[in-house]
Amino acid sequence: MAIFLTGSASAATAADLVLNLSTRGSGGRIAVAVYRDAEAFRRGEGPVASRMVPRTGAVTSLTITGLAPGRYAVAAFHDTDGNGDLTLWPIGLPREAYGFSNDARGRFGPPPFGRAAFDLPAAGATQAFRLH
């Protein structure tokens, strides 16, 4: 009986995050990382979830399941060359399109976590943003 209650409680607290990511380029894959803390987001390390999915058209949709309700930020890029990394120009600027939840933009790097962050309730949520 206790095992059943424990399993039910965790299922009730899992939320789904639907992402609709717009891109202009064609082909390739979309890389997504979901962060729960500002420091990990700033460093681009230790996401709570990550996915690499084929680009399916002008808008690529995917669902990340099983997230605990809370505050999150998402970073994504369009991996057009298939190397699995955000390709940079020799001067350090991104060569591939990238974006962040809430369409947040940073000046020289990612935006602050607070600008990209959104609340994910137990009922789930949808985030739509453009990769520039």
Side-chain angles (χ1 to χ4, degrees), residues 23-51:
T23 58
R24 283 186 279 177
S26 61
R29 302 176 298 171
I30 305 292
V32 174
V34 180
Y35 297 93
R36 187 140 190 196
D37 99 21
E39 188 58 27
F41 178 75
R42 186 186 66 74
R43 289 189 328 265
E45 298 174 354
V48 295
S50 62
R51 304 285 186 278

Side-chain angles (χ1 to χ4, degrees), residues 48-74:
V48 295
S50 62
R51 304 285 186 278
M52 181 76 78
V53 298
R55 180 189 178 274
T56 57
V59 176
T60 298
S61 297
L62 68 134
T63 302
I64 308 232
T65 60
L67 295 171
R71 195 142 179 86
Y72 292 92
V74 178

Side-chain angles (χ1 to χ4, degrees), residues 48-117:
V48 295
S50 62
R51 304 285 186 278
M52 181 76 78
V53 298
R55 180 189 178 274
T56 57
V59 176
T60 298
S61 297
L62 68 134
T63 302
I64 308 232
T65 60
L67 295 171
R71 195 142 179 86
Y72 292 92
V74 178
F77 73 92
H78 185 185
D79 185 19
T80 57
D81 60 13
N83 70 356
D85 292 316
L86 178 63
T87 302
L88 304 175
W89 291 101
I91 60 172
L93 297 174
R95 193 172 181 165
E96 296 173 309
Y98 64 95
F100 303 94
S101 44
N102 293 332
D103 268 324
R105 304 290 285 171
R107 285 188 170 256
F108 299 102
F113 181 81
R115 283 211 311 250

